[in-house]
């Protein structure tokens, strides 16, 4: 029961995170939505690890967390650097790389 | 089972709040709530080690980092949701359900398969010892690579965030 | 000596290469002249040697594959190399063309005329072109021309002859347009080449037809098999070849380039447009005499065109004021005579007239060159006069040539022209165009010829000088290098006809050595044709005079002389004793006068019918190329630009937009996979 229910929940969480990435303008909030998506993926992995009785799923979750941590750190560093230059954490202001 | 439903409901509600609340600070708090729910899910899934790690690393360290940055940048001004980006918003709201639909269809197509699988858990499933065994034996290279990744990220964060000597 | 036949065209070619490559900077003027004249002289001497050994061919051995000796036909063929080797035709014929040269009496006559007169003109040019900037270029082209003409004459097959044919056309263009900065010269060169090309196209078609039906393009092989062709097929091929001849030999309707070609240097006019190149058409028709005899309808066309041209061109010469233009129309007219002769089957008479015409026409042109030289470049007859006393050598030689072309008895022109007229009258034609008409046209043209030639002489040499003081002061006789060729040609103009004295005038003695010389070439075909058509009545085709014919011949000769005398008298009255008559006639008959003066507006007609529509087509195609084709290409470019304008909207720099595309793409992919 649990294993058929949780992946559905994870899918919903993933979609919500996706919508958030598309809708919000604040860079930090976007990063948070990305964390949301990553967690949904983690949840899916965990439930399948449980279903298939395999620890490989847990290992993968471990690595996803590692990468999420690194990415959050670097992303926030970028946001701070941009904020210093432009006094704004709005991603729409970061639009110099265009035609 | 009821507990899981409640936790699922809380998780989804907090996710919606993360996305739709205007204040970033509030969003951070609700994200923490969401992470705790995920951790509880891990617990139910016999992933004890991960439950602990989630709480310590994710909800503990990463979220604290977020809080720091939100405070540092003092973002209290309210941002309007989508001025002049109506198409994007519409497409996003269309895409979301579509995405869910796709994933749910995939899951449904997969069907139930747990019956055919070995029923019992090996002892130590989900413990630190078990993960440790895998990490240091089968996935050693990936483990070391991950550590390199962390070092790089550390350096990157430091370089990006420091003040330039003018 | 005969195996050195290939040297004859090769020597002038070597002269062309030497003068062409080194002449501009490395060779002094005397060296250029020496190379140019020397090679032609050597070619002439070699020709003499080769022709003389035609008499005792029995002692010359054949070398299989290289030298083919046929004593019966008095023909020697030298094969130098295999030139073209192609596939095989439908009837099993294999297309291989050897590069070979044939020497038989016909090509022997042409050879001696071309090299002999050519040499004299080369010498003359040394003096005439002495002050020219492009001296080396002139002689290089002249040598190339000689080489090409000799290839044409000696060629043993149609393609080899065609190489020479095209080559002389090219040299004609180069030499007419020698002074290319001058627009009239450049235009005339182009006109000559383009009109020639029309003839060449017909020639190529004829060659293809010959190969397809006869299986071979060599002269001996092809002519031997013409019996296989139906008369209409033979006539068709012959007509195509004749169109080619019309282009090269300036007959109606392709004669329009020759008068314009007078824009080139005078020695060029003498050599190319009087003595040699324009006679190539006549030579070709005579070479293919068997073919023409197989399709008599073509012969009729040839005769009619020849007679018409002779008459018409003579009328056009009446009102020309440029000394060279008069001579140009005269050339066209005389060429008409030659074709008339060929058209009635008198091939040897045509070649005879070709030879004598080469002598006196070259002399006329070179003499006029001397006059122009003396007049400091003036060519208008209305501005000349009284040169008789001042040009002591030019005048007598010019007069001799005029007498020859008019057909005064004793000189060369008389014998050759009279032979043509006699043969024309005796020609019984199946199509009802009796020989009488040809004779009348010929005699009328003879009268006109006398008239306009003496008009020229009277206007240029007699009376009071009408030029300005400056020019009059500079009048002088030409240097020896120019007058000596004049004298040689004068002797030839007088004596050149004595090899062809007809029986009627030699009191029974058979002195017509010319006809005998050419007999091996023409007799076999003539006899065959005469037998087949049963035309042995009335002393016609084969040229043997019958008893009743001789009396008639004297009568006709006298009639011709009478017409000639009338022409002379009229010219005398109009231009010597009562010079006001031409003026009054012009006023009384203005339309006729204008028509003649403007050459019947033929050039204007061609321009309106052919040239203008062609230019309009060119304009249309040019516009089409610019608008449609370039437009298409530009449209592709424009399309790319439009696309890129569209695509660049995706590069907004907005991160969220990119994220949207990611998401939508991922969703689409998921749905595809699910």
């Amino acid at each position: 029961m649990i294993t058929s229910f949780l992946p559905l929940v994870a899918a919903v969480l993933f979609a919500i995170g996706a919508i958030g990435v598309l809708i919000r303008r604040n860079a930090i909030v976007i990063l948070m939505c990305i964390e949301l998506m990553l967690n949904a993926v983690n949840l899916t992995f965990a439930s399948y690890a449980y279903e298939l009785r395999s620890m490989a799923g847990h290992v993968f979750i471990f690595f996803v967390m590692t990468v999420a941590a690194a990415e959050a750190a670097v992303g926030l560093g970028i946001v701070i650097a941009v904020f210093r230059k432009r006094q704004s954490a709005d991603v729409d202001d970061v639009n110099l790389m265009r035609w | 089972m009821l507990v899981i439903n409640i936790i699922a409901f809380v998780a989804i509600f907090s996710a919606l709040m993360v996305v739709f609340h205007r204040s970033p600070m509030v969003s951070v708090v609700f994200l923490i709530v969401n992470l705790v729910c995920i951790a509880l899910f891990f617990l139910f899934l016999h992933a004890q080690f991960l439950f602990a790690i989630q709480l310590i690393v994710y909800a503990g360290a990463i979220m604290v980092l977020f809080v720091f940055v939100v405070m540092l940048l003092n973002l209290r001004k309210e941002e309007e949701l989508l001025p002049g980006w109506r198409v994007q918003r519409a497409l996003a709201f269309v895409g979301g359900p579509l995405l869910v639909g796709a994933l749910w269809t995939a899951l449904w197509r997969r069907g139930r398969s747990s019956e055919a699988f070995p029923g019992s858990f090996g002892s130590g499933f989900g413990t630190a010892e078990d993960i440790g065994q895998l990490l240091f034996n089968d996935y050693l290279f990936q483990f070391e690579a991950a550590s390199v990744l962390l070092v790089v990220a550390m350096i990157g964060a430091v370089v990006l965030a420091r003040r330039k000597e003018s | 000596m005969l195996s050195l036949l290939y040297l004859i065209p090769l020597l002038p070619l070597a002269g062309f290469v030497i003068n062409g490559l080194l002449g501009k900077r490395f060779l002094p003027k005397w060296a250029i002249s020496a190379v140019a004249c020397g090679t032609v002289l050597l070619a002439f001497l070699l020709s003499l040697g080769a022709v003389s050994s035609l008499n005792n061919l029995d002692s010359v051995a054949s070398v299989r594959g290289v030298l083919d000796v046929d004593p019966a036909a008095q023909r020697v063929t030298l094969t130098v190399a295999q030139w073209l080797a192609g596939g095989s035709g439908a009837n099993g014929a294999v297309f291989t063309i050897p590069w070979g040269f044939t020497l038989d009496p016909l090509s022997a006559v042409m050879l001696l005329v071309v090299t002999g007169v050519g040499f004299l003109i080369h010498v003359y040019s040394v003096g005439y072109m002495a002050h020219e900037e492009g001296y080396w270029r002139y002689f290089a082209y002249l040598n190339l021309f000689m080489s090409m003409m000799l290839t044409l004459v000696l060629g043993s097959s149609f393609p080899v002859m065609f190489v020479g044919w095209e080559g002389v056309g090219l040299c004609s263009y180069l030499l007419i347009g020698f002074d290319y900065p001058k627009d009239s010269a450049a235009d005339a060169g182009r006109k000559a080449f383009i009109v020639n090309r029309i003839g060449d196209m017909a020639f190529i078609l004829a060659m293809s037809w010959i190969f397809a039906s006869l299986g071979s393009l060599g002269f001996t092989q092809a002519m031997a098999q013409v019996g296989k062709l139906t008369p209409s097929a033979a006539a068709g091929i012959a007509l195509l070849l004749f169109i080619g001849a019309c282009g090269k030999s300036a007959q109606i309707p392709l004669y329009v380039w020759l008068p314009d070609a007078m824009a080139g240097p005078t020695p060029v006019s003498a050599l190319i447009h009087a003595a040699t190149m324009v006679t190539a058409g006549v030579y070709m028709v005579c070479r293919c005499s068997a073919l023409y005899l197989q399709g008599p309808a073509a012969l009729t066309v040839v005769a009619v065109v020849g007679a018409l041209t002779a008459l018409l061109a003579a009328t056009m010469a009446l009102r020309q004021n440029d000394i060279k233009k008069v001579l140009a129309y005269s050339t066209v007219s005389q060429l008409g005579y030659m074709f008339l002769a060929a058209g009635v089957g008198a091939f040897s008479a045509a070649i005879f007239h070709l030879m004598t015409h080469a002598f006196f026409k070259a002399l006329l042109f070179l003499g006029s060159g001397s006059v122009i030289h003396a007049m400091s470049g003036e060519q208008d007859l209305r501005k000349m006069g009284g040169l008789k006393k001042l040009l002591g050598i030019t005048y007598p030689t010019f007069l001799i040539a005029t007498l020859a072309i008019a057909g005064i008895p004793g000189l060369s022109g008389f014998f050759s022209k009279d032979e043509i007229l006699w043969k024309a009258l005796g020609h019984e034609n199946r199509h009802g165009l009796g020989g009488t008409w040809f004779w009348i046209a010929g005699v009328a043209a003879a009268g006109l010829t006398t008239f306009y030639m003496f008009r020229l002489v009277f206007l240029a040499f007699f009376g009071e000088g009408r030029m300005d003081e400056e020019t009059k002061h500079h009048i002088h006789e030409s240097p020896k290098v120019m007058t000596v060729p004049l004298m040689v040609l004068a002797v030839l103009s007088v004596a050149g006809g004595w090899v062809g004295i007809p029986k009627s005038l030699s009191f029974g003695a058979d002195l017509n050595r010319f006809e005998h010389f050419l007999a091996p070439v023409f007799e076999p075909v003539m006899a065959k044709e005469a037998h087949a058509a049963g035309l042995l009545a009335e002393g016609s085709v084969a040229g043997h005079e019958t008893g009743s014919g001789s009396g008639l011949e004297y009568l006709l000769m006298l009639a011709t002389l009478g017409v000639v005398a009338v022409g002379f008298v009229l010219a005398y009255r109009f231009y010597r004793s009562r010079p006001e008559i031409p003026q009054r006639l012009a006023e009384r008959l203005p339309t006729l006068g204008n028509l003649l003066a403007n050459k019947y507006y033929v050039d204007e007609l061609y321009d309106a019918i052919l040239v203008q529509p062609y230019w309009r087509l060119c304009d249309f195609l040019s516009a089409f190329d610019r608008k449609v084709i370039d437009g298409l290409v530009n449209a592709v470019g424009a399309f790319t630009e439009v696309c890129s304008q569209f695509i660049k909207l995706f590069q907004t720099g907005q991160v969220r937009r990119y994220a949207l595309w990611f998401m939508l793409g991922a969703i689409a992919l998921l749905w595809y996979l699910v």
Side-chain angles (χ1 to χ4, degrees):
Chain A
M1 273 301 285
I2 204 177
T3 57
S4 53
F5 176 64
L6 282 180
L8 302 175
V9 174
V12 174
L13 288 175
F14 187 85
I16 294 173
I19 292 177
V21 166
L22 293 175
I23 288 186
R24 300 298 301 252
R25 280 177 24 174
N26 192 315
I28 300 177
V29 177
I30 291 180
L31 280 169
M32 286 199 287
C33 296
I34 293 175
E35 299 298 329
L36 200 50
M37 288 158 77
L38 286 168
N39 274 289
V41 169
N42 280 351
L43 184 55
T44 312
F45 269 113
S47 43
Y48 280 114
Y50 178 81
E51 177 180 326
L52 301 173
R53 314 285 193 259
S54 161
M55 285 300 286
H58 291 204
V59 170
F60 204 95
I61 294 175
F62 184 85
F63 285 121
V64 169
M65 275 192 215
T66 311
V67 173
E71 167 237 331
V74 175
L76 288 169
I78 293 176
V79 170
I80 291 176
V82 169
F83 184 83
R84 284 229 190 88
K85 197 81 188 341
R86 291 171 177 272
Q87 304 305 315
S88 152
D90 190 337
V91 296
D92 284 345
D93 289 342
V94 187
N95 61 355
L96 286 181
M97 283 188 68
R98 60 174 182 174
W99 60 268
Chain B
M1 198 51 219
L2 178 65
V3 181
I4 290 183
N5 283 339
I6 295 175
I7 297 177
F9 177 74
V10 173
I12 291 176
F13 173 74
S14 60
L16 286 170
M17 287 280 85
V18 167
V19 170
F20 289 111
H21 203 282
R22 259 175 275 176
S23 168
M25 199 59 220
V26 174
S27 293
V28 172
V29 171
F30 272 111
L31 184 59
I32 294 176
V33 170
N34 192 43
L35 292 177
V36 169
C37 293
I38 301 284
L40 287 174
F41 280 137
F42 284 162
L43 199 54
F44 279 112
L45 291 172
H46 290 223
Q48 306 91 302
F49 177 68
L50 285 174
F51 158 75
I53 292 293
Q54 173 91 346
L55 285 178
I56 296 170
V57 172
Y58 234 121
I62 296 175
M63 284 299 110
V64 169
L65 185 57
F66 270 99
V67 169
F68 277 170
V69 173
V70 169
M71 294 278 180
L72 178 67
L73 299 187
N74 214 7
L75 297 166
R76 248 179 268 130
K77 75 174 160 112
E78 293 174 359
E79 49 159 291
E80 317 94 63
L81 285 172
L82 317 166
W85 280 63
R86 295 212 191 96
V87 177
Q88 171 117 345
R89 183 178 176 192
L91 280 175
F93 282 128
V94 163
L98 274 179
L99 185 56
V100 173
L103 293 169
W104 279 8
T105 314
L107 288 169
W108 179 65
R109 290 257 177 91
R110 185 182 174 274
R112 302 167 197 282
S113 56
S114 45
E115 287 84 328
F117 269 79
S120 66
F121 287 95
S123 66
F125 181 83
T127 60
E129 183 190 337
D130 232 1
I131 285 197
Q133 288 286 347
L134 280 175
L135 279 179
F136 289 107
N137 289 327
D138 298 333
Y139 301 108
L140 183 61
F141 175 72
Q142 289 84 333
F143 182 69
E144 299 300 333
S147 58
V148 171
L149 177 71
L150 285 172
V151 169
V152 170
M154 211 176 354
I155 298 173
V158 167
V159 166
L160 279 170
R162 73 178 168 162
R163 265 179 223 288
K164 295 276 192 291
E165 332 293 328
S166 48
Chain C
M1 185 65 81
L2 281 170
S3 51
L4 293 176
L5 209 56
Y6 67 92
L7 275 182
I8 297 178
L10 193 61
L11 282 169
L13 190 66
F16 160 68
V17 171
I18 294 175
N19 273 338
L21 288 177
L22 305 174
K24 187 163 184 183
R25 270 181 281 188
F26 302 116
L27 293 177
K29 216 185 254 187
W30 64 265
I32 298 176
S33 329
V35 167
C37 299
T39 51
V40 179
L41 181 62
L42 276 176
F44 176 65
L45 293 173
L46 276 173
S47 313
L48 272 178
V51 171
S52 61
S53 53
L54 265 185
N55 280 332
N56 39 357
L57 276 183
D58 298 311
S59 54
V60 181
S62 290
V63 178
R64 209 158 71 91
V66 176
L67 195 66
D68 177 42
V69 183
D70 187 346
Q74 272 209 315
R75 181 177 52 226
V76 176
T77 307
L78 175 73
T79 306
V80 175
Q82 284 302 320
W83 178 33
L84 297 173
S88 46
N91 48 1
V94 180
F95 187 80
T96 47
I97 311 289
W99 187 268
F101 299 119
T102 302
L103 183 66
D104 66 354
L106 178 60
S107 53
V109 172
M110 295 296 296
L111 202 62
L112 290 174
V113 167
V114 168
T115 49
V117 177
F119 173 65
L120 289 170
I121 294 181
H122 271 76
V123 172
Y124 180 92
S125 302
V126 171
Y128 192 82
M129 303 292 286
H131 303 296
E132 278 294 328
E133 182 61 45
Y135 192 78
W136 63 278
R137 197 159 51 94
Y138 174 84
F139 276 105
Y141 290 158
L142 214 63
N143 267 4
L144 180 65
F145 170 80
M146 290 300 293
S147 173
M148 289 289 116
M149 188 71 203
L150 290 168
T151 309
L152 194 159
V153 164
L154 284 175
S156 65
S157 58
F158 279 100
V160 177
M161 175 198 249
F162 191 63
V163 169
W165 188 275
E166 292 279 348
V168 296
L170 170 71
C171 293
S172 173
Y173 162 77
L174 288 171
L175 283 164
I176 293 173
F178 177 72
D179 186 14
Y180 52 82
K182 199 167 66 166
D183 273 343
S184 62
D187 286 343
R190 251 207 323 259
K191 184 172 180 177
F193 195 78
I194 292 175
V195 175
N196 250 244
R197 218 74 191 95
I198 299 173
D200 295 346
M201 189 181 71
F203 196 109
I204 293 179
L205 285 174
M207 274 204 288
S208 321
W209 195 346
I210 289 176
F211 183 70
S213 47
L214 294 178
S216 167
L217 281 171
F219 283 128
T220 12
Q221 298 93 309
M223 290 303 127
Q225 296 180 47
V226 287
K228 282 200 277 179
L229 294 168
T230 64
S232 34
I237 302 177
L239 274 176
L240 280 174
L241 285 174
F242 180 59
I243 295 175
C246 283
K248 192 64 84 187
S249 298
Q251 297 297 292
I252 294 173
L254 295 173
Y255 68 90
V256 290
W257 62 271
L258 189 54
D260 283 35
M262 295 301 115
T266 310
V268 168
S269 308
L271 181 61
I272 297 186
H273 307 126
T276 45
M277 185 183 96
V278 293
T279 56
V282 183
Y283 167 71
M284 189 263 291
V285 170
C286 291
R287 184 52 91 197
C288 303
S289 52
L291 180 68
Y292 279 89
L293 286 170
Q294 182 71 8
L299 271 183
T300 314
V301 173
V302 171
V304 169
V305 170
L308 223 58
T309 309
L311 198 51
L312 220 61
T315 59
M316 287 195 251
L318 294 175
R319 289 267 291 175
Q320 291 301 315
N321 290 316
D322 183 323
I323 190 174
K324 285 176 69 176
K325 287 258 168 70
V326 176
L327 295 176
Y329 284 106
S330 170
T331 306
V332 176
S333 175
Q334 297 299 311
L335 287 166
Y337 267 107
M338 294 180 218
F339 279 108
L340 171 61
V344 298
F347 297 107
S348 60
I351 300 292
F352 187 30
H353 195 61
L354 191 157
M355 187 176 79
T356 59
H357 174 261
F359 297 146
F360 54 70
K361 193 44 73 62
L363 178 54
L364 283 172
F365 267 109
L366 293 185
S368 68
S370 190
V371 167
I372 295 170
H373 184 85
M375 294 280 296
S376 312
E378 180 57 63
Q379 291 182 237
D380 194 330
L381 280 170
R382 296 170 291 193
K383 299 212 185 91
M384 300 184 192
L387 296 173
K388 182 170 72 160
K389 301 176 233 35
L390 301 167
L391 300 176
I393 300 185
T394 306
Y395 169 66
T397 51
F398 201 91
L399 187 63
I400 291 177
T402 311
L403 292 172
I405 195 175
I408 303 299
L411 291 115
S412 56
F414 167 71
F415 294 113
S416 57
K417 205 180 275 199
D418 232 64
E419 176 133 3
I420 294 177
L421 290 172
W422 169 242
K423 293 272 164 64
L425 182 64
H427 176 72
E428 193 57 53
N429 189 287
R430 265 171 271 188
H431 298 259
L433 282 165
T436 328
W437 292 110
F438 290 142
W439 185 83
I440 293 178
V443 171
L448 288 169
T449 305
T450 317
F451 179 77
Y452 65 68
M453 282 312 299
F454 276 103
R455 165 178 177 262
L456 193 155
V457 169
F458 289 140
L459 279 177
F461 292 102
F462 286 76
E464 285 305 311
R466 294 182 292 280
M467 67 286 277
D468 52 50
E469 277 309 309
E470 179 71 32
T471 327
K472 198 184 262 189
H473 196 67
H474 280 116
I475 295 180
H476 59 283
E477 181 58 272
S478 308
K480 263 216 267 294
V481 76
M482 282 165 70
T483 54
V484 169
L486 290 178
M487 292 192 276
V488 175
L489 281 171
V491 169
L492 284 172
S493 298
V494 174
W498 294 346
V499 294
I501 302 178
K503 266 215 197 93
S504 46
L505 289 178
S506 50
F507 309 110
D510 193 5
L511 281 179
N512 198 341
R513 305 174 66 171
F514 195 79
E515 197 164 344
H516 286 312
F517 185 64
L518 284 178
V521 182
F522 294 127
E523 278 260 346
V525 285
M526 303 291 294
K528 232 192 313 177
E529 157 72 12
H531 280 301
L535 286 177
L536 277 177
E538 293 183 17
S540 56
V541 183
H544 297 298
E545 282 92 278
T546 62
S548 63
S550 287
L552 187 60
E553 201 175 343
Y554 288 124
L555 200 59
L556 292 168
M557 247 184 251
L558 284 172
T560 316
L561 280 174
V563 174
V564 165
V566 168
F568 175 75
V569 166
L570 277 176
Y572 190 83
R573 281 195 66 141
F574 277 39
Y575 296 101
R576 186 86 180 101
S577 51
R578 303 266 293 273
E580 69 277 8
I581 295 186
Q583 187 69 5
R584 275 200 282 151
L585 260 183
E587 281 159 20
R588 288 261 209 89
L589 305 165
T591 10
L592 183 65
N594 276 337
L595 202 60
L596 287 177
N598 285 311
K599 310 156 294 182
Y600 301 105
Y601 297 105
V602 171
D603 276 320
E604 287 78 3
L605 191 71
Y606 281 175
D607 186 64
I609 292 181
L610 296 170
V611 178
Q612 289 306 323
Y614 180 70
W615 282 128
R616 276 201 286 272
L617 177 70
C618 289
D619 285 337
F620 167 71
L621 287 176
S622 159
F624 181 81
D625 179 53
R626 260 181 300 118
K627 296 205 191 109
V628 176
I629 297 181
D630 280 358
L632 273 174
V633 175
N634 288 344
V636 172
F639 176 68
T640 310
E641 241 186 88
V642 164
C643 282
S644 69
Q645 291 285 3
F646 174 66
I647 290 177
K648 102 183 155 184
L649 294 173
F650 284 87
Q651 282 257 314
T652 55
Q654 307 277 9
V655 180
R656 286 202 294 155
R657 190 70 87 203
Y658 295 164
L660 179 67
W661 300 128
F662 288 171
M663 225 49 90
L664 292 178
I667 291 171
L669 197 61
L670 277 176
W671 273 110
Y672 176 70
L673 288 174
V674 162

